[in-house]
Amino acid sequence: MRRRIVMSMLAGVILSASTFLGAGPASAAPPADAAQLAATPARSADQAAATPRDAPSETPAATAADAPAATAADAPAATAADAPAATAADTSADAPAGPAADTPAEFGTDWHDPLTAAPPVVRPATKSCAVTVAEAQFRDFTPYRGAYTPPSGCGDRWSKVVLRLDGKVKGRQFDRLGYLHIGGVEIFRTSTPEPSPDGIEWSVEKDVTRYSDTFRRGGDVEMLIGNVVDDTYTGVLDVKVTLTFYAQGGAVKSAATPDRVLTLQDGTLTTPRNSERVVAEVYATGSGGGCEEYWYLTVPDPAPYSCKADKGPYREVQIKVDGQLAGIAEPFPTVWTGGWSNPFLWYVIPGPRAFDIKPIEYDLTPYAGLLDDGRPHRIDVSVVGVPAGQTGWSTPVNVLVWQDAKRAHVSGALTEVRAGDLTNSSTYTPGSDERLDTVGGHRLTTAGYVDTSHGRVWTTVRRTLANTSAHHWTDGENTDALKATWTDDETVTVDGRGPVGVRRTHRTYTMDGTTTLAADDRLRTVLTLGDRAAVDETRGGRRTTWSRLDDTYAGDATYTANVPRDQRHAVGRTSERYRLYGSDGCYDRVLVTAQGVLTRDRSDC
């Protein structure tokens, strides 16, 4: 919708320093996204631009980023069209009511602090040592810099290491993107919630045990959440990050972690000569305040739409070793907390992964024999589909290495690299209901072996990507809708001494949303997001472990656009259900909100 308000103001500039760094696993958060935000190319984060392009200039209070509405006392009666539809979690027959709460008729100047239904990090009952690694107030684009010293009193082989960020902000502010490096390794990437005038607090936890190699040494700390604070955007981001180390003891043993955590040096990687397993992590985030923040909505010429890309919305993140394709992946369609032109969708429950951004993982073990020659090798990460010369993606890299303790040099060879033809087709159908249908996909198989102290080990990695989307919009983009599905299937087979091991992972991401701007300037977004994964591991053909993840967000929010904030009269319901079950047990939690009030919090299994 051309009159639509800018959806998000994430600043990609802040990530330039981390281009060649990476991060570890991140727990999923709840989602909520809407296809129509992207239709208006977002301006840079340091522009106070939230005014519709065809609207007269208005006071800062009328911007979308701080869209809190009037109180219930001066709210008009809600119409049937404004009434939010029941969400999936809200209508569940087995979802008993959670905490009792009086629900206001519309959003006021304060609401529940942000939270997600994702499970907390499980902590062992052993001695712990906490280290504060960063404590700062982010007002601009100046990084926090400090020094990290390993903890004393908990040994140097830990059963678990947990990162915790505690933040607070109040006033008016956009969503912002940030990172944390220790010793040059990116261990955390995050975005921020948008605050209420009265202020909010939030926290994020992440299991960072895999970076134990980095934590055993002292090193420089750098953290940045790029921000702009002025007379209009008043929110100062006040954050504290700690690491808590849990010692081994009794039946609790030290965790199995990579032997080395490496970063790229001038775009090259030099691994130890006895490396037998190699995994690259890439944080691929589309951001920067432009159309690549909403890449899934872009269209090619001649389709008449605000966000353009030469071949449309298909994106694929590729990693190459010495110019040869080594890995492919679908990027996760993250929706930030200003997304889909409707901040009322995200004030309490963020979209999945928005606060704890997961890296893409590539198993590069077929290349281990090549990498073990002691020489630097070129590592390149690129995003298929981004228009030439256009910025907006950040792709920092970490490389995790497991070594053969009984050999100084492991030899081997890359035996197969077989890539299928990349499919990327968008079909535009003109009419009163403009339509773009996209089909994309790719296949890649890599294989190789290493001769280790325990025999020759073959590794084969097969990955298959697929994307379909249907994008509809009307003239002026006053109605804008997207329904899209991404799948990313990976099979890793390891054949050496003993039974053959196979790990199969099937990932599915979904987005189904519609935004409409009515004649009375009531803007409504209805959106569901899905983050799903099925993992199965077998040994000798017999299943050893398995898991199923289903993280579903649903939201429906309406407010009056193009008016000062005290006339927004916003209403909205959001929900998230996070289910994780498998051979390690189960977890099931439902959250439901209305007008910023938490109305249900149910845990079951």
Side-chain angles (χ1 to χ4, degrees):
M1 83 186 69
R2 297 190 188 282
R3 299 176 59 213
R4 177 191 319 141
I5 296 172
V6 174
M7 50 200 233
S8 180
M9 289 290 178
L10 269 173
V13 179
I14 66 174
L15 296 174
S16 59
S18 66
T19 300
F20 297 112
L21 300 173
S27 59
D33 168 30
Q36 124 176 61
L37 291 176
T40 302
R43 289 168 256 180
S44 65
D46 57 349
Q47 289 179 296
T51 306
R53 282 176 287 173
D54 61 348
S57 177
E58 62 180 3
T59 62
T63 62
D66 46 62
T71 61
D74 56 9
T79 66
D82 290 341
T87 63
D90 196 59
T91 57
S92 174
D94 63 349
D102 293 329
T103 303
E106 61 185 42
F107 276 87
T109 62
D110 199 14
W111 42 83
H112 197 286
D113 287 338
L115 78 165
T116 81
V121 178
V122 177
R123 301 164 183 257
T126 60
K127 180 180 179 180
S128 63
C129 303
V131 175
T132 298
V133 294
E135 194 165 7
Q137 291 186 332
F138 292 103
R139 303 170 182 271
D140 51 27
F141 286 80
T142 302
Y144 166 88
R145 291 189 170 90
Y148 163 77
T149 301
S152 59
C154 286
D156 63 356
R157 294 292 186 273
W158 307 290
S159 60
K160 186 162 287 188
V161 185
V162 179
L163 177 149
R164 181 181 175 92
L165 177 146
D166 290 292
K168 55 186 178 182
V169 60
K170 68 177 181 178
R172 181 184 306 162
Q173 196 51 266
F174 287 124
D175 47 347
R176 304 297 184 179
L177 196 60
Y179 64 81
L180 173 64
H181 301 165
I182 295 180
V185 174
E186 184 163 321
I187 67 169
F188 183 52
R189 179 164 291 213
T190 189
S191 69
T192 64
E194 295 192 3
S196 68
D198 295 350
I200 57 171
E201 297 183 5
W202 81 101
S203 62
V204 185
E205 287 189 347
K206 176 182 176 181
D207 184 345
V208 291
T209 313
R210 63 166 56 185
Y211 301 115
S212 291
D213 172 56
T214 299
F215 300 146
R216 292 186 186 107
R217 301 180 297 275
D220 294 335
V221 174
E222 179 176 298
M223 183 175 187
L224 177 60
I225 305 177
N227 197 17
V228 173
V229 177
D230 55 25
D231 291 341
T232 301
Y233 301 102
T234 58
V236 176
L237 297 163
D238 190 343
V239 301
K240 178 181 180 180
V241 181
T242 59
L243 293 176
T244 302
F245 299 81
Y246 292 87
Q248 54 182 319
V252 180
K253 305 301 181 182
S254 61
T257 60
D259 297 299
R260 297 291 306 277
V261 180
L262 307 176
T263 59
L264 304 186
Q265 305 300 318
D266 296 324
T268 67
L269 171 70
T270 305
T271 65
R273 300 201 66 189
N274 61 347
S275 303
E276 59 176 313
R277 185 184 176 208
V278 181
V279 174
E281 301 178 327
V282 178
Y283 273 101
T285 49
S287 60
C291 286
E292 285 305 300
E293 190 168 325
Y294 329 110
W295 49 270
Y296 39 80
L297 287 170
T298 58
V299 306
D301 287 329
Y305 191 77
S306 302
C307 276
K308 296 283 190 176
D310 299 339
K311 294 187 177 181
Y314 181 73
R315 299 291 181 271
E316 175 181 309
V317 185
Q318 298 185 347
I319 188 168
K320 295 180 180 180
V321 176
D322 294 334
Q324 191 165 35
L325 189 62
I328 59 176
E330 295 280 11
F332 185 76
T334 310
V335 180
W336 314 109
T337 60
W340 279 74
S341 302
N342 204 325
F344 296 99
L345 290 169
W346 321 111
Y347 280 147
V348 179
I349 303 176
R353 308 194 190 191
F355 288 172
D356 189 1
I357 300 165
K358 292 182 180 180
I360 295 170
E361 293 187 8
Y362 301 91
D363 195 325
L364 301 184
T365 304
Y367 283 78
L370 173 68
L371 295 170
D372 281 353
D373 62 3
R375 299 182 180 131
H377 293 266
R378 184 77 192 175
I379 305 295
D380 294 295
V381 177
S382 60
V383 182
V384 172
V386 178
Q390 183 167 308
T391 60
W393 282 85
S394 179
T395 56
V397 180
N398 286 338
V399 179
L400 312 179
V401 174
W402 288 258
Q403 297 170 258
D404 186 340
K406 295 183 179 180
R407 283 199 176 174
H409 178 212
V410 171
S411 61
L414 174 70
T415 60
E416 180 182 10
V417 177
R418 186 174 73 254
D421 294 334
L422 190 151
T423 300
N424 184 7
S425 173
S426 289
T427 302
Y428 165 57
T429 304
S432 57
D433 178 23
E434 312 276 9
R435 176 169 180 145
L436 186 78
D437 292 283
T438 297
V439 176
H442 204 184
R443 293 175 179 266
L444 176 67
T445 298
T446 60
Y449 68 86
V450 285
D451 289 320
T452 72
S453 62
H454 44 89
R456 176 167 288 188
V457 179
W458 290 84
T459 300
T460 303
V461 180
R462 297 181 176 87
R463 202 149 183 175
T464 302
L465 314 180
N467 166 228
T468 60
S469 69
H471 183 184
H472 301 257
W473 67 97
T474 60
D475 182 50
E477 300 168 22
N478 288 332
T479 296
D480 200 351
L482 178 73
K483 186 171 185 178
T485 300
W486 298 262
T487 59
D488 187 331
D489 295 339
E490 181 181 34
T491 300
V492 179
T493 304
V494 179
D495 188 1
R497 189 172 65 182
V500 176
V502 180
R503 178 183 175 91
R504 295 181 176 88
T505 305
H506 174 72
R507 308 171 184 89
T508 302
Y509 316 136
T510 58
M511 182 180 294
D512 187 352
T514 302
T515 297
T516 55
L517 183 64
D520 60 355
D521 273 351
R522 291 293 283 177
L523 187 151
R524 181 180 184 182
T525 302
V526 181
L527 177 68
T528 61
L529 302 173
D531 182 6
R532 301 176 182 89
V535 181
D536 292 275
E537 295 189 28
T538 61
R539 189 78 172 165
R542 306 181 73 175
R543 188 163 73 174
T544 54
T545 62
W546 64 280
S547 67
R548 300 291 183 268
L549 166 68
D550 185 344
D551 184 6
T552 301
Y553 165 95
D556 184 344
T558 304
Y559 69 98
T560 302
N562 308 324
V563 297
R565 68 188 304 170
D566 62 353
Q567 299 173 32
R568 299 267 177 192
H569 301 305
V571 295
R573 295 173 70 91
T574 65
S575 69
E576 179 193 14
R577 185 174 186 182
Y578 191 107
R579 288 177 287 175
L580 178 63
Y581 57 95
S583 50
D584 290 337
C586 66
Y587 174 90
D588 189 341
R589 186 180 182 189
V590 172
L591 301 175
V592 180
T593 76
Q595 281 72 266
V597 173
L598 182 65
T599 60
R600 179 172 299 164
D601 185 349
R602 185 216 73 188
S603 295
D604 198 2
C605 212

